[in-house]
Amino acid sequence: MVRHFVFLTFALPLMAVVLTATEKPNVIFILADDLGIGNVGCYGSDRYKTPHIDKLAAEGTRFTQCFTAALCGPSRALIMSGRYAFRNGATNQDACTNLDPKEIVLPRLFKAAGYATACVGKWGQLPGEPGDHGFDDWMRFNGSGVYRNVDGGKPERYSINGDDKKLADGEYMPDMCHDRVVKFVRQHRDEPFFVYYPMSHVHGELLPTPDSAPGSNDLMADNIAYMDKLVGRLIAELDTLKLREKTLVIFMGDNGTGKGMADRATIGGKVLSGMKGTMLECGGLVPMIACWPGKTPAGRVSADLIDSTDFVASFGELIGTKLPDMTFDGQSIAPQLLGQPAKPREWVFNQLARMWYVRDAQWKLNEKGELYDMSGAPFTETLVNGPHEARTRLEAVLAKLNPAGGILDQGDGSGRHANKEKKKAKE
């Protein structure tokens, strides 16, 4: 398919961050699956306990206004490309697998800066193999929520550096991924490294963890606890290897809490507005924590607006790598990561299929022209009719972005699939 559209350069202000070669960090980017803010203790979760993640936040900076796409494929495409869906074409889950390879920018940035690179975990929503895009070492599983083989079912499959394998009975994929990350870190402890670690947890269909009690009736809590335990084990390994002060750890959710679990992910007894797959607040509002001891301010809680296109620009600035000659939508948050003066974003943009919105600190305007007062977020969103200065201001942002003039979604409208009717016609 030939794509015709015009790129508009929409430059966002950057603050310069200068680090010496010896200060450039190792980076471990942990991406949890279907983990919303209501699933994390330090974000106020009523039900779920995450002591190791909470400790990571206490030793670093917790961001309360980090937004990404509401489904895993488009979200990962934003992280990897630094470009909005109307530019990169990742408007729905199926479209993500057809991304132009040039859109997978993030691992190439680290390779260009001399980093050893690894991808361990979920990759199938993105094109090709991780090794095609700048990862030296990879272990990837197929699909989502891979934990263990189910009695009577086909063995789960995964690959290591292109070598296809079957999961053995009794093996637990999250433990195998953790061990692979640790092996890579140990092997490259004396050189700069980047690890992209998209976890199995806590995507459904949830299965008992090795720590689950027999007959447990809360597998979500079990899986969140086990995920938290793995994060703690990884941080402990960095301590053992004396790499903690040399390593920036990012922990983030890839989208909001999944359907069926959202009503239980309450904060202060209140149900959140939205969940995975929706354009409501908590479809795309996710937990994000950054911790680099001695560099990232400890115990800080930041309400600066962030969206997931910002990571390409941020890591590029931190490691001193020039971005390719393309239009990027991200704004570096390197100053915030280092506790330096910063000019935060004035707005974030979010898209799924042909639905989108632009949001500032208090207001949200969507593709239908509906304006919402977000002062009650993340619990309520109040429709505001008629003229308003916020409407005028956000309309100008959307007009400049012009998402309708980019790559338009050709899927079923949900963001989950390509056009089902076309698929049926071919069958």
Side-chain angles (χ1 to χ4, degrees):
M1 178 180 69
V2 179
R3 295 170 174 167
H4 299 283
F5 59 100
V6 177
F7 283 157
L8 292 179
T9 302
F10 192 60
L12 291 168
L14 297 178
M15 302 290 289
V17 167
V18 179
L19 294 173
T20 68
T22 56
E23 288 180 309
K24 292 178 181 179
N26 305 314
V27 177
I28 299 178
F29 192 110
I30 306 170
L31 190 65
D33 203 341
D34 290 2
L35 188 82
I37 60 170
N39 302 126
V40 182
C42 59
Y43 281 83
S45 175
D46 293 325
R47 182 181 297 269
Y48 304 109
K49 308 300 181 185
T50 52
H52 297 292
I53 295 169
D54 297 353
K55 187 171 186 287
L56 195 69
E59 295 173 349
T61 298
R62 179 169 67 88
F63 294 87
T64 63
Q65 296 293 300
C66 178
F67 291 83
T68 189
L71 288 174
C72 59
S75 175
R76 288 152 206 262
L78 292 173
I79 292 167
M80 287 290 156
S81 71
R83 286 153 51 85
Y84 292 138
F86 67 85
R87 299 194 203 280
N88 66 31
T91 57
N92 67 61
Q93 296 278 54
D94 295 341
C96 294
T97 60
N98 296 319
L99 276 184
D100 189 318
K102 73 178 182 182
E103 299 289 352
I104 310 297
V105 171
L106 192 58
R108 293 193 180 101
L109 285 183
F110 284 95
K111 283 301 296 176
Y115 279 61
T117 56
C119 171
V120 180
K122 176 176 175 176
W123 179 265
Q125 286 72 19
L126 297 171
E129 293 286 348
D132 300 331
H133 306 289
F135 286 108
D136 299 316
D137 185 82
W138 74 93
M139 174 178 173
R140 57 159 291 188
F141 54 79
N142 297 325
S144 299
V146 174
Y147 300 104
R148 61 173 83 248
N149 292 334
V150 178
D151 290 343
K154 293 181 179 180
E156 297 284 358
R157 306 187 75 90
Y158 66 100
S159 66
I160 296 179
N161 295 331
D163 184 12
D164 189 56
K165 298 179 179 293
K166 292 181 180 179
L167 190 65
D169 291 343
E171 289 183 323
Y172 188 58
M173 181 59 73
D175 283 346
M176 295 173 66
C177 288
H178 170 82
D179 291 345
R180 187 78 186 185
V181 170
V182 169
K183 178 181 178 181
F184 179 84
V185 168
R186 288 174 178 171
Q187 288 176 336
H188 298 279
R189 61 185 296 181
D190 295 323
E191 60 183 314
F193 60 78
F194 167 58
V195 179
Y196 172 57
Y197 182 15
M199 304 180 86
S200 299
H201 293 112
V202 287
H203 195 289
E205 184 174 344
L206 294 173
L207 297 175
T209 76
D211 293 346
S212 292
S216 172
N217 61 4
D218 195 344
L219 292 182
M220 185 65 165
D222 291 354
N223 278 265
I224 288 174
Y226 203 89
M227 173 201 67
D228 181 73
K229 174 182 172 179
L230 290 177
V231 171
R233 286 173 57 190
L234 180 55
I235 299 304
E237 182 68 25
L238 294 175
D239 281 329
T240 298
L241 296 173
K242 302 188 185 308
L243 293 174
R244 191 83 158 79
E245 277 96 27
K246 299 177 182 179
T247 305
L248 168 62
V249 177
I250 301 287
F251 178 87
M252 178 181 165
D254 71 337
N255 50 241
T257 306
K259 185 179 180 180
M261 296 293 175
D263 286 349
R264 297 161 61 88
T266 59
I267 293 176
K270 298 178 182 179
V271 175
L272 301 174
S273 176
M275 66 186 79
K276 173 183 177 179
T278 73
M279 295 300 284
L280 296 170
E281 180 80 343
C282 291
L285 177 65
V286 294
M288 201 279 272
I289 295 163
C291 186
W292 181 9
K295 299 291 185 181
T296 303
R300 176 174 291 182
V301 178
S302 172
D304 288 357
L305 289 168
I306 296 169
D307 79 29
S308 53
T309 62
D310 293 342
F311 291 108
V312 165
S314 304
F315 292 144
E317 187 170 1
L318 282 172
I319 65 177
T321 303
K322 184 179 178 181
L323 302 188
D325 187 16
M326 301 164 64
T327 298
F328 289 92
D329 295 297
Q331 174 175 326
S332 175
I333 60 168
Q336 288 96 318
L337 298 179
L338 298 174
Q340 298 178 3
K343 184 176 181 179
R345 275 179 169 270
E346 295 180 359
W347 50 264
V348 293
F349 173 80
N350 208 334
Q351 179 178 0
L352 191 62
R354 297 196 185 193
M355 303 173 287
W356 53 74
Y357 64 78
V358 63
R359 188 203 193 288
D360 66 14
Q362 184 175 346
W363 303 95
K364 178 169 81 173
L365 182 72
N366 67 19
E367 81 288 350
K368 299 176 184 176
E370 296 172 334
L371 180 68
Y372 290 87
D373 181 351
M374 303 300 291
S375 58
F379 307 107
T380 61
E381 310 180 33
T382 304
L383 182 63
V384 177
N385 294 312
H388 196 285
E389 66 82 20
R391 182 188 302 279
T392 302
R393 178 163 37 84
L394 296 180
E395 282 176 343
V397 174
L398 283 180
K400 194 161 189 177
L401 282 175
N402 189 25
I407 301 171
L408 286 175
D409 182 65
Q410 301 301 318
D412 65 2
S414 69
R416 294 181 179 274
H417 306 288
N419 194 304
K420 290 182 177 180
E421 296 304 317
K422 288 183 179 180
K423 281 187 174 182
K424 289 179 181 178
K426 291 181 180 179
E427 293 175 352

